[in-house]
Amino acid sequence: MKHVAIVCISTIVTVLVVIILMSVHSKDLRQTELERALKVSARQSLENACLTQKTQINDNDALAADFITSFLGKMKTDGRVVSENGEVYSADSSDSGQRVEIEIKAADIYKGILSAKVTEYFTYPNGKTGTVSASTVQIVERESRRPSEYINYYIPWQAAKEAGFDYLEGEDYLYYQKRFASGMKVTADIEAPEYKGHSFVRWNEQKENGVTKRIAVYR
């Protein structure tokens, strides 16, 4: 009977040791994978935006989206992935406690910087929840940063006066400025403000010293 008890205790201890080793190994693997995927995907996306200047990465939101897509492609997980605003990118996982949270701290194709933090939650073999996280800050050299251009949208001073803006009589009012990556064609215009007794017709475009100027036309 004594020998049976010893065998049982030894078996339990062995199982516990194996579970602990598996848990430690699992966390180490996840941490390594997370750091690798985060660093590589952030660097690639920033270089695509600022060095090769891929046309589809034409603003900061596009840079963040490209990074997230690249990162998910490198992660060996099908867990539920959410951004800082709670948007779900995928929702299928064999581990119900597994999810990955992505926080974009900075994404700027004009300054040449991409900073992000990723946290992964998972379930250990013993049922407890584990967490690994990693952060990265990627920067490209100044001469490699994406040059930018601007479109300035103006409205008549009378419309600015009615809207309560700090206008200057006789001069068109700078209503909005759109920044975009150099070389990109911007076709979508913003909505012009309401001007009582008038209806918006179109934006007239002019070029002044390399700057695009669009002036609201009302009737």
Side-chain angles (χ1 to χ4, degrees), residues 6 33 43 52 66 73 83 88 92 114 123 136-137 141 153 176 197 200 210 212 217 219:
I6 293 175
E33 179 186 15
R43 189 67 189 178
T52 61
D66 186 80
S83 67
V88 177
D92 179 28
L114 177 57
T123 305
T136 188
V137 178
E141 296 299 326
Y153 292 83
Y176 185 81
F200 175 74
T212 300
V217 176
R219 64 182 176 190

Side-chain angles (χ1 to χ4, degrees), residues 87-108:
E87 181 178 355
V88 177
Y89 291 98
S90 63
D92 179 28
S93 175
S94 57
D95 180 358
S96 60
Q98 183 186 50
R99 73 180 190 275
V100 179
E101 295 179 353
I102 303 174
E103 180 182 0
I104 307 297
K105 294 182 176 295
D108 196 317

Side-chain angles (χ1 to χ4, degrees), residues 8-219:
C8 290
I9 293 174
S10 298
T11 301
I12 294 173
V13 172
T14 301
V15 171
L16 290 175
V17 170
V18 171
I19 291 177
I20 292 173
L21 291 176
M22 288 177 60
S23 297
V24 172
H25 183 61
S26 174
K27 183 171 184 177
D28 288 343
L29 286 178
R30 289 177 182 273
Q31 183 69 47
T32 300
E33 179 186 15
L34 191 69
E35 292 176 353
R36 177 195 61 81
L38 178 60
K39 182 177 180 179
V40 172
S41 54
R43 189 67 189 178
Q44 285 181 347
S45 294
L46 190 60
E47 289 182 350
N48 286 340
C50 299
L51 298 181
T52 61
Q53 298 191 1
K54 286 191 174 181
T55 56
Q56 64 268 32
I57 310 178
N58 58 359
D59 58 24
N60 296 336
D61 289 338
L63 171 59
D66 186 80
F67 157 70
I68 291 174
T69 301
S70 177
F71 172 75
L72 295 181
K74 291 177 175 58
M75 287 292 290
K76 299 175 182 177
T77 176
D78 59 353
R80 187 167 61 91
V81 181
V82 300
S83 67
E84 67 273 17
N85 62 3
E87 181 178 355
V88 177
Y89 291 98
S90 63
D92 179 28
S93 175
S94 57
D95 180 358
S96 60
Q98 183 186 50
R99 73 180 190 275
V100 179
E101 295 179 353
I102 303 174
E103 180 182 0
I104 307 297
K105 294 182 176 295
D108 196 317
I109 64 175
Y110 311 106
K111 295 180 179 179
I113 184 171
L114 177 57
S115 174
K117 178 182 179 181
V118 177
T119 302
E120 180 183 7
Y121 300 87
F122 61 93
T123 305
Y124 282 118
N126 61 5
K128 292 184 178 181
T129 300
T131 307
V132 291
S133 64
S135 299
T136 188
V137 178
Q138 299 294 323
I139 301 174
V140 297
E141 296 299 326
R142 180 179 298 276
E143 60 269 17
S144 302
R145 294 173 186 172
R146 192 76 171 254
S148 59
E149 297 179 16
Y150 298 89
I151 295 178
N152 294 328
Y153 292 83
Y154 290 86
I155 60 175
W157 68 268
Q158 296 92 334
K161 177 182 179 180
E162 183 177 295
F165 298 130
D166 187 16
Y167 70 97
L168 183 62
E169 187 171 341
E171 293 187 10
D172 291 329
Y173 175 79
L174 179 57
Y175 175 66
Y176 185 81
Q177 184 178 74
K178 181 182 291 186
R179 185 182 188 184
F180 60 98
S182 180
M184 294 301 301
K185 184 178 180 180
V186 179
T187 56
D189 279 320
I190 64 170
E191 292 186 7
E194 292 186 2
Y195 182 14
K196 188 175 181 180
H198 301 77
S199 58
F200 175 74
V201 179
R202 65 181 180 277
W203 292 100
N204 271 353
E205 183 170 303
Q206 302 176 1
K207 292 281 188 177
E208 294 183 358
N209 299 320
V211 177
T212 300
K213 181 178 181 181
R214 291 180 181 174
I215 304 173
V217 176
Y218 294 87
R219 64 182 176 190

